[in-house]
Amino acid sequence: MEWPLLLAAFLGALIILLLLRVPVAIALLGVNLVGVVWLFGWDAGTRQLVLSVQGGLSTFVLSPVPLFILMGEVLMASGLASRALSAVERSMGRLPGRLGLVTTAGGTLFGILSGSTLANTALLGKAFLPQMLREGYGVRYGMGSILASGGLAMIIPPSALAVVWGATAGVAIGPLLIGGLLPGLLMAVNYAIVLIGWSWLAGRRSRRSAPVVATEGATEGATVEGRVERSGDQEATRDHETPDAPPSLLVDVAPLALLIALVLGLIFFGVATPTESAAAGAVGSVVLAAAYRRLGRATMWSALVGSAKVSAVIFFILAGSDVYSRIMSFSGATSGVIGALLDVDAGPIVTLILMQVAVVLLGLFLEQISIMLVTLPFFMPVVEAMGWHPVWFGIIMLINLQIALTTPPFGMSLFVMKGVAPRGVKLTDVYLAAVPFVLADVVAIALLILVPGIALWLPELML
């Protein structure tokens, strides 16, 4: 069979299974089994499948994944993460849109923990959106701040998704994690500008106009128009809480910040490998939970079970990805796609844009890990042929994976957000909530293309 037909049949079968809600790992392994039997026969094919799965999972590069996830699970199950977010929110005083900033930060923590933007959106939509509506924030504003958190979860270290990308793409994990720090801060600044500016403009509009009718099912004061309307009692309460902020920051935030700085510092200064740093972070989270007297038997059991579940799903997917890459290579599909892209002779920038457009299109019906597995066997050889730095390209791709899931009209995160939003919220409201943050991500990618040093400066300084 010619490689275009094999590629079309393979991807078509995989996409159909995913649209039928078959779990990604099962769908990938099932299609891989059919593929290897078709290409090699039953005996040789099944033997190749087993060897590929064993080789894909026995690599030491994957070791940080369960440890980073365990670190996040302990911080969440013990309540230390939520305490830190509450302290940060109190410290912001009368800053416009402060709850939106805290929601985005909290969403980043949840995203790093869950490894899935779609699961993150559903969880935060149920947990944080009602609180924002009770505080008087607009529905669009609340949904936008939740959708924005997925991008930071992709980039900010220690990101389990970055480790998965590096392990699958053959990119060094340490430089990839450290390289995401400055782009992540750039994205955070962009989001903060959007959130504060949105809140400030909404506040000005609300002062110039009469109150509007709240959306059906939303809390009084929260409008679809995205206005931020607060009562005097709410502001007085916040002002009363502000003087207690410095001690809360010192007690609740500083230890977590030091723990994350320890993990990143060990990697950056070459003191420890990513696996050893992740182990230090996991142990550190347990020590912090014990120091705060939050490390009960139930907490530890919940953290262990949660990290085991998430890690098992990721490893099953990675097991299928190795077989998938081998099938694409053996069939000639990888070399065929590379040759087709290079024959276009459109220049590096146009080629890069075409690759990113393909990712956005895949975001119509796949989530981020699935997109990684489908594109990596074709993209990384192109990266090598073009002479691009793999860390730089990886960070651009991680940001674009977020764009793919939140771009109207068919981004999957938008439909998940619509499903957990209050009754009466239209899909167009979700679109309008996402657009400012999609544009902020596009600005971040444009800056990375123009100034690659944003992603490469810190990795080049690593010892």
Side-chain angles (χ1 to χ4, degrees):
M1 181 184 292
E2 294 293 329
W3 73 261
L5 294 177
L6 178 65
L7 178 61
F10 192 94
L11 293 181
L14 181 60
I15 290 170
I16 289 172
L17 290 174
L18 293 174
L19 290 176
L20 293 174
R21 298 295 188 265
V22 176
V24 177
I26 296 176
L28 194 59
L29 287 172
V31 174
N32 283 333
L33 177 60
V34 175
V36 294
V37 171
W38 179 274
L39 291 173
F40 304 108
W42 178 260
D43 291 337
T46 52
R47 190 180 307 112
Q48 180 64 44
L49 179 66
V50 172
L51 292 175
S52 297
V53 169
Q54 181 182 7
L57 294 181
S58 60
T59 173
F60 188 69
V61 176
L62 293 176
S63 301
V65 174
L67 294 171
F68 279 139
I69 293 174
L70 177 60
M71 172 183 167
E73 285 279 3
V74 171
L75 294 178
M76 297 304 302
S78 63
L80 297 183
S82 59
R83 284 184 55 171
L85 292 174
S86 298
V88 171
E89 198 265 339
R90 288 196 302 270
S91 72
M92 292 183 179
R94 299 175 65 90
L95 179 68
R98 57 186 176 271
L99 191 54
L101 297 173
V102 173
T103 300
T104 300
T108 302
L109 289 178
F110 279 114
I112 292 173
L113 167 64
S114 68
S116 171
T117 297
L118 299 181
N120 190 47
T121 300
L123 176 64
L124 294 179
K126 295 178 181 178
F128 282 6
L129 188 56
Q131 179 183 354
M132 297 190 73
L133 298 182
R134 286 193 298 269
E135 292 283 347
Y137 288 89
V139 174
R140 290 180 187 170
Y141 183 90
M143 292 188 298
S145 62
I146 292 171
L147 291 170
S149 65
L152 293 177
M154 293 274 195
I155 301 297
I156 294 291
S159 167
L161 284 172
V163 176
V164 172
W165 170 275
T168 309
V171 179
I173 302 299
L176 186 61
L177 288 173
I178 297 300
L181 188 57
L182 291 183
L185 293 176
L186 172 64
M187 293 171 65
V189 170
N190 289 347
Y191 292 163
I193 292 172
V194 171
L195 289 167
I196 294 173
W198 190 343
S199 180
W200 181 75
L201 291 174
R204 290 192 61 182
R205 287 199 303 269
S206 66
R207 287 193 293 270
R208 290 200 303 262
S209 61
V212 298
V213 179
T215 301
E216 181 185 358
T219 305
E220 182 179 358
T223 71
V224 172
E225 280 71 14
R227 300 179 182 179
V228 181
E229 301 171 4
R230 294 183 176 277
S231 67
D233 292 340
Q234 287 172 323
E235 291 290 0
T237 300
R238 294 298 177 188
D239 292 343
H240 178 72
E241 291 177 348
T242 302
D244 296 332
S248 297
L249 285 176
L250 182 62
V251 173
D252 296 328
V253 178
L256 268 67
L258 289 175
L259 177 61
I260 295 175
L262 171 67
V263 172
L264 298 181
L266 291 174
I267 298 174
F268 181 78
F269 292 108
V271 177
T273 65
T275 300
E276 294 165 343
S277 300
V283 173
S285 65
V286 172
V287 171
L288 279 181
Y292 281 89
R293 297 183 179 179
R294 296 294 188 94
L295 190 66
R297 181 180 301 175
T299 298
M300 199 64 206
W301 177 254
S302 175
L304 290 172
V305 171
S307 60
K309 288 180 178 179
V310 175
S311 300
V313 171
I314 292 176
F315 283 165
F316 267 111
I317 294 173
L318 290 175
S321 72
D322 188 79
V323 185
Y324 166 70
S325 300
R326 293 174 187 270
I327 293 175
M328 293 298 102
S329 177
F330 182 83
S331 66
T334 301
S335 58
V337 171
I338 296 169
L341 286 173
L342 296 180
D343 288 342
V344 174
D345 195 23
I349 296 299
V350 175
T351 301
L352 179 63
I353 292 174
L354 290 175
M355 295 165 74
Q356 305 311 311
V357 170
V359 170
V360 173
L361 293 176
L362 288 172
L364 302 180
F365 43 82
L366 299 178
E367 67 167 345
Q368 65 266 33
I369 294 182
S370 303
I371 297 174
M372 286 185 192
L373 303 181
V374 169
T375 58
L376 275 175
F378 307 104
F379 282 6
M380 293 313 294
V382 175
V383 170
E384 184 177 355
M386 289 290 181
W388 296 333
H389 199 294
V391 170
W392 170 78
F393 179 79
I395 291 172
I396 289 178
M397 280 292 296
L398 288 171
I399 299 175
N400 197 35
L401 287 171
Q402 163 68 4
I403 296 177
L405 297 182
T406 54
T407 298
F410 300 118
M412 291 186 68
S413 288
L414 303 178
F415 295 103
V416 174
M417 189 73 255
K418 174 64 172 66
V420 298
R423 289 177 300 165
V425 174
K426 300 177 181 178
L427 194 56
T428 53
D429 295 316
V430 183
Y431 292 164
L432 293 173
V435 166
F437 300 98
V438 171
L439 295 177
D441 287 338
V442 171
V443 169
I445 289 180
L447 289 175
L448 282 171
I449 293 174
L450 294 174
V451 188
I454 298 175
L456 299 179
W457 180 58
L458 288 178
E460 289 173 352
L461 293 178
M462 290 179 65
L463 299 178

